[in-house]
Amino acid sequence: MSVPAVECQQVSITYPDGFTAVQDIDLAVAPGEIVALLGPSGSGKSTLLRGLAGLERITSGRVLMDDVVVDGPGVIPRPVHQRGCGMVFQDGQLFPHRTVGRNIAYGLEAAGVPKPERRERVAQMLQLVSLEGFENRPVTTLSGGQGQRVALARSLAPRPKLLLLDEPLSALDRDLRERLAVDIRQILTSTSIAAVFVTHDHDEAATVADRIVTIDAGRIITA
């Protein structure tokens, strides 16, 4: 049996004001599996995603990646860049002063990848997200859908072991969301990277994911 790409064991996240946003979550995502976290606003799904990424400190339980504890009792939490995961946010969070190509290359630059390899990897990512020829385009000229494709390419460029997507389509109109959901599914399956996809839209979850996990009031309802 393969080791999960990421696993939560009795994970809880409580804020300083005493509010528990995530409570006693057990969840394992297999290598290459796409899991959707589905739930209404305030259900705890985005908080759990941020806990996996290291953007929120868990208050109890453990988070493991490739069977290595990255957060938990007696462990110094690994920062985001040491967890081997990429993240796509709702608004994309592209760097406005960088071109499309340099946005995609950002993580590669930070890792010290030589320029020729960066250029080759950027070209591969542009092809993957169907934006060939966009390398020198200012990101300020992109449509919402194009911007999210660039954000996806930027997260995939460093070859993460896990991709975390926090409602990446919620700011787009319905027709575009439906089309891009299909595209994201195809892109993720072609890369064989495990992914956790947060959404409040059941149809979107069904389109993108292999498995849907429903969360409400900080607890898993169905898995």
Side-chain angles (χ1 to χ4, degrees), residues 85-110 121-122 124-126 128-129 131 139 142 146-160 162-164 187 193:
C85 60
M87 193 156 187
V88 180
F89 297 92
Q90 180 177 335
D91 60 358
Q93 295 193 6
L94 299 178
F95 303 117
H97 61 287
R98 285 175 169 249
T99 62
V100 167
R102 290 204 64 221
N103 262 276
I104 296 172
Y106 177 76
L108 303 174
E109 292 178 16
R121 184 61 175 164
V122 167
Q124 291 171 351
M125 292 297 95
L126 287 170
L128 181 67
V129 299
L131 289 176
V139 294
L142 301 178
Q146 289 169 339
Q148 287 302 77
R149 287 174 185 272
V150 173
L152 182 60
R154 182 180 62 185
S155 295
L156 290 171
R159 295 182 173 88
L162 173 71
L163 190 65
L164 306 173
I187 291 167
I193 294 173

Side-chain angles (χ1 to χ4, degrees), residues 47-201:
T47 301
L48 176 59
L49 197 78
R50 291 172 63 83
L52 295 179
L55 297 173
E56 293 281 0
R57 180 72 196 273
I58 67 171
T59 46
S60 63
R62 302 197 305 170
V63 175
L64 296 87
M65 292 189 172
D66 282 338
D67 216 24
V68 175
V69 179
V70 296
D71 199 354
V75 174
I76 298 175
R78 289 194 182 185
V80 181
H81 67 278
Q82 291 182 4
R83 295 198 180 195
C85 60
M87 193 156 187
V88 180
F89 297 92
Q90 180 177 335
D91 60 358
Q93 295 193 6
L94 299 178
F95 303 117
H97 61 287
R98 285 175 169 249
T99 62
V100 167
R102 290 204 64 221
N103 262 276
I104 296 172
Y106 177 76
L108 303 174
E109 292 178 16
V113 175
K115 192 171 183 178
E117 293 180 34
R118 293 202 309 263
R119 188 181 299 115
E120 181 179 358
R121 184 61 175 164
V122 167
Q124 291 171 351
M125 292 297 95
L126 287 170
Q127 183 176 18
L128 181 67
V129 299
S130 301
L131 289 176
E132 298 96 324
F134 276 65
E135 182 175 358
N136 296 317
R137 286 272 297 269
V139 294
T140 52
T141 67
L142 301 178
S143 67
Q146 289 169 339
Q148 287 302 77
R149 287 174 185 272
V150 173
L152 182 60
R154 182 180 62 185
S155 295
L156 290 171
R159 295 182 173 88
K161 296 178 181 178
L162 173 71
L163 190 65
L164 306 173
L165 303 99
D166 192 5
E167 302 211 43
L169 306 180
S170 62
L172 307 177
D173 64 64
R174 167 61 67 176
D175 288 344
L176 182 55
R177 281 165 57 187
E178 291 176 351
R179 294 199 303 272
L180 202 51
V182 173
D183 292 343
I184 287 177
R185 166 75 185 180
Q186 293 174 341
I187 291 167
L188 292 178
T189 54
S190 71
T191 60
S192 299
I193 294 173
V196 181
F197 184 96
V198 164
T199 181
H200 61 269
D201 187 303

